[in-house]
């Protein structure tokens, strides 16, 4: 037996999960088939997204390994410089989340021109965010002074922040374009571009840090310049792909940007909540990075290495979460509440299971992992002591990201932001500071603070999704 989902576009095949393309056969409404379909679609969409997200972080890992083996002090400078840059960049990702979500809603309604209009409206908006964040990052020195960083860290990190800031507009353009393609369930171009960018990054990074291949020896500055150049290359390449893709007429890609501020209203309003949420989370992690800086060069380097591993694995969670958001968003767009709920729960549980599996090598071989990043025995010992916490942090931190992505896909805005405020600003920062400086646990205290906050976040967000996914879906309003 087959039925047509509620709110399906006219002419959509019965039980068709997306409404696109029309030649795909209907899917029987049996629970095991629905679960299998969601798992299949989740991994099909998530795999290239995960590779693209991993590629983004692998560049940072390469920076950390190359600079860390060049000089431990330079690694500390680079880690501190990345704190404000990364915080603002992730805030920008949140502000632009509406591109992916609204595109997926349009796909669910089989409205391709509306999807293209979302991209055309949000590209200038992304550039505006990038320019604003570039100016803020350029002036990061006051932050390092205000947070009590040692004089040598403040001086070198400020110089590196200026270099990193130049790549901020490019990062925002790339995010708009990649989110648009992911909302269309076409993540392969971003994946292929990221793979190529990583090869270029490896060569430039090694050459500019060590002075190989005829390049000047620039140390940490070489890694910062490499990141900036790569970001611009990626932005221009993905923008060119979208402008030249064969189906550009169907989406109205070249119809101009007139009225972009008015047409980006829905995406902006959705992004304000997501941007505030991600901004608070990353700002909280940046505060922890600055706490580590107050403990000295060894602590800053150790925290940076551990957070690099956490961030690297988090990219897997982020890819699964993005796929979850798209899957939930498509079901939301066609007003299929049971399918929306199933997509969200499968995404959350799958993400937590995958993250638990990925944490196992770090728990079993912490010293070996730390040795990949530095030859400093003190830094290795400190890092190994906190890597054993990853089996707790990975699943909970990844799970909260999947849950909040499912909520965004379902159109929920400000409640997830409040839950992030409580978890990361009101819980993580105070508990991390207390355990580190009052109890005297050092760097380990920072990560115990992350454990507590992640447990609070994933629990609260899962409860919220249970509430949201049980409600009827409102009719779409332009």
């Amino acid at each position: 037996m087959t039925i047509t989902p509620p709110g399906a576009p006219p002419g959509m095949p019965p039980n068709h999960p997306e409404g696109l393309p029309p030649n795909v056969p209907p899917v029987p409404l049996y629970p095991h088939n629905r679960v299998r379909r969601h798992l299949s679609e989740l991994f099909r969409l998530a795999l290239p997204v995960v590779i693209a997200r991993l590629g983004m972080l692998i560049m940072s890992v390469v920076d950390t390994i190359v600079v860390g083996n060049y000089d431990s002090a330079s690694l500390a400078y680079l880690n501190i410089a990345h704190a404000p840059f990364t915080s603002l960049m992730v805030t920008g990702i949140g502000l632009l989340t509406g591109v992916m979500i609204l595109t997926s809603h349009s796909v669910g309604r089989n409205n391709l021109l509306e999807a293209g209009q979302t991209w055309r409206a949000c590209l200038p908006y992304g550039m505006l965010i990038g320019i604003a964040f570039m100016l803020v990052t350029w002036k990061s020195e006051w932050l390092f002074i205000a947070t009590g960083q040692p004089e040598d860290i403040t001086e070198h990190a400020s110089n590196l922040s200026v270099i990193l800031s130049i790549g901020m507009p490019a990062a925002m353009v790339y995010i708009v374009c990649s989110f648009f393609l992911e909302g269309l369930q076409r993540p392969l171009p971003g994946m292929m571009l990221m793979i190529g960018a990583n090869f270029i990054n490896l060569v430039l990074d090694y050459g500019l840090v060590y002075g190989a291949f005829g390049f000047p020896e620039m140390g940490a500055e070489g890694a910062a310049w490499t990141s900036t150049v790569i970001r611009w290359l990626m932005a221009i390449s993905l923008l060119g792909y979208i402008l030249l893709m064969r189906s550009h007429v169907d989406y109205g890609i070249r119809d101009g940007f007139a009225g972009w501020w008015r047409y980006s209203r829905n995406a902006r309003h959705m992004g304000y909540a997501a941007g505030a949420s991600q901004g608070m989370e990353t700002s909280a992690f940046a505060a922890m990075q600055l706490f580590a800086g107050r403990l000295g060069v060894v602590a800053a380097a150790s925290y940076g290495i551990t957070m690099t591993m956490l961030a690297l694995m988090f990219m897997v969670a982020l890819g699964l979460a993005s796929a979850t958001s798209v899957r939930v968003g498509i079901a939301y767009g066609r007003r299929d509440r049971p399918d929306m709920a199933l997509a969200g729960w499968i995404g959350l549980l799958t993400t937590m299971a995958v993250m638990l599996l990925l944490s196992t090598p770090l728990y079993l071989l912490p010293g070996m992992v730390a040795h990949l990043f530095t030859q400093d025995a003190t830094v290795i010992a400190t890092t190994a002591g906190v890597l054993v916490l990853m089996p707790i942090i990975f699943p909970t931190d990844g799970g909260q990201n999947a849950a909040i992505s499912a909520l965004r896909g379902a159109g929920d805005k400000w409640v997830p932001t409040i839950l992030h405020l409580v978890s990361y600003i009101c819980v993580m920062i105070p508990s991390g500071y207390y355990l580190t400086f009052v109890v005297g646990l050092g760097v380990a205290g920072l990560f115990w603070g992350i454990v507590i906050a992640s447990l609070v976040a994933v629990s609260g967000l899962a409860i919220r999704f249970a509430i949201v996914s049980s409600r009827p879906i409102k009719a779409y309003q332009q």
Side-chain angles (χ1 to χ4, degrees):
M1 174 182 177
T2 61
I3 64 173
T4 300
M12 189 185 81
N15 281 355
H16 187 262
E18 317 303 344
L20 291 172
N23 59 338
V24 176
V27 180
L29 286 181
Y30 297 120
H32 65 279
N33 283 338
R34 292 166 69 89
V35 171
R36 186 188 309 157
R37 171 173 61 83
H38 273 295
L39 281 171
S40 174
E41 290 294 322
L42 178 71
F43 282 107
R44 183 188 66 81
L45 177 59
L47 182 59
V49 176
V50 165
I51 293 173
R53 297 289 192 273
L54 277 174
M56 191 178 297
L57 249 292
I58 286 173
M59 287 193 226
S60 294
V61 172
V62 169
D63 288 349
T64 303
I65 292 175
V66 173
V67 176
N69 282 278
Y70 177 80
D71 178 33
S72 293
S74 295
L75 177 59
Y77 305 148
L78 188 63
N79 286 335
I80 296 297
H82 267 117
F85 177 88
T86 302
S87 178
L88 287 171
M89 187 175 74
V90 176
T91 300
I93 291 174
L95 290 171
L96 296 170
T97 299
V99 178
M100 179 171 59
I101 294 171
L102 292 182
T103 300
S104 69
H105 289 178
S106 299
V107 169
R109 289 188 294 272
N110 199 10
N111 192 332
L112 303 187
L113 283 176
E114 181 184 74
Q117 186 181 71
T118 296
W119 177 80
R120 289 186 287 108
C122 290
L123 186 64
Y125 176 54
M127 277 294 297
L128 186 63
I129 293 172
I131 293 171
F133 284 0
M134 178 185 71
L135 297 176
V136 175
T137 309
W138 192 292
K139 299 294 184 180
S140 295
E141 183 178 7
W142 69 269
L143 177 62
F144 305 140
I145 294 174
T147 54
Q149 301 302 307
E151 186 176 343
D152 61 327
I153 288 182
T154 297
E155 178 185 355
H156 289 89
S158 298
N159 293 334
L160 294 174
S161 293
V162 171
I163 299 170
L164 291 171
S165 71
I166 299 172
M168 187 67 82
M172 296 300 105
V173 170
Y174 175 81
I175 289 164
V176 171
C177 294
S178 62
F179 275 2
F180 172 65
L181 291 172
E182 288 169 19
L184 298 179
Q185 299 191 99
R186 296 175 61 173
L188 284 175
M191 181 194 76
M192 299 304 296
L193 178 61
M194 187 61 69
I195 292 172
N198 268 274
F199 282 110
I200 299 173
N201 180 72
L202 178 61
V203 175
L204 279 180
D205 225 13
Y206 187 81
L208 289 175
V209 171
Y210 284 93
F213 315 123
F215 291 108
E217 182 178 347
M218 301 176 68
E221 287 190 7
W225 276 116
T226 296
S227 298
T228 295
V229 169
I230 292 295
R231 287 188 178 102
W232 277 106
L233 287 175
M234 291 174 61
I236 293 170
S237 299
L238 203 57
L239 179 61
Y241 172 83
I242 291 175
L243 290 171
L244 298 173
M245 64 184 186
R246 292 180 180 178
S247 56
H248 70 85
V249 174
D250 297 333
Y251 296 100
I253 293 299
R254 303 181 189 176
D255 288 352
F257 303 101
W260 66 269
W261 183 257
R262 181 174 74 256
Y263 290 124
S264 66
R265 180 179 180 275
N266 286 343
R268 284 187 284 111
H269 284 207
M270 186 168 289
Y272 292 152
S277 180
Q278 294 199 21
M280 284 188 293
E281 182 182 356
T282 53
S283 295
F285 277 102
M288 304 290 264
Q289 173 75 76
L290 297 172
F291 288 165
R294 290 180 60 180
L295 294 172
V297 168
V298 170
S302 176
Y303 182 89
I305 291 171
T306 307
M307 285 304 298
T308 297
M309 291 305 304
L310 177 58
L312 181 65
M313 295 300 103
F314 186 70
M315 288 300 103
V316 177
L318 193 59
L320 287 165
S322 296
T324 299
S325 180
V326 172
R327 301 294 305 154
V328 170
I330 289 174
Y332 179 89
R334 66 175 189 270
R335 300 179 64 196
D336 187 346
R337 187 200 60 78
D339 210 47
M340 181 190 79
L342 185 61
W345 287 117
I346 287 176
L348 170 59
L349 296 175
T350 301
T351 300
M352 294 187 73
V354 170
M355 293 299 284
L356 179 61
L357 182 63
L358 292 174
S359 68
T360 304
L362 303 184
Y363 178 78
L364 296 176
L365 303 168
M368 184 179 298
V369 173
H371 195 269
L372 293 173
F373 293 87
T374 181
Q375 306 301 315
D376 190 314
T378 306
V379 174
I380 291 173
T382 304
T383 305
V386 295
L387 285 176
V388 295
L389 295 175
M390 295 305 108
I392 305 175
I393 296 176
F394 276 19
T396 52
D397 195 32
Q400 64 85 18
N401 193 259
I404 202 169
S405 296
L407 286 166
R408 300 299 184 204
D412 200 21
K413 297 178 182 178
W414 287 105
V415 174
T417 301
I418 294 171
L419 290 171
H420 257 194
L421 171 66
V422 172
S423 302
Y424 291 100
I425 301 296
C426 301
V427 174
M428 188 173 80
I429 292 180
S431 61
Y433 183 91
Y434 177 79
L435 293 171
T436 300
F437 296 106
V438 179
V439 177
L441 294 181
V443 178
L446 299 176
F447 286 95
W448 275 112
I450 295 172
V451 167
I452 296 169
S454 297
L455 286 169
V456 172
V458 71
S459 301
L461 291 166
I463 292 171
R464 176 62 180 173
F465 184 73
I467 295 170
V468 170
S469 62
S470 65
R471 298 172 178 170
I473 299 174
K474 296 180 181 180
Y476 174 71
Q477 295 179 351
Q478 179 67 41

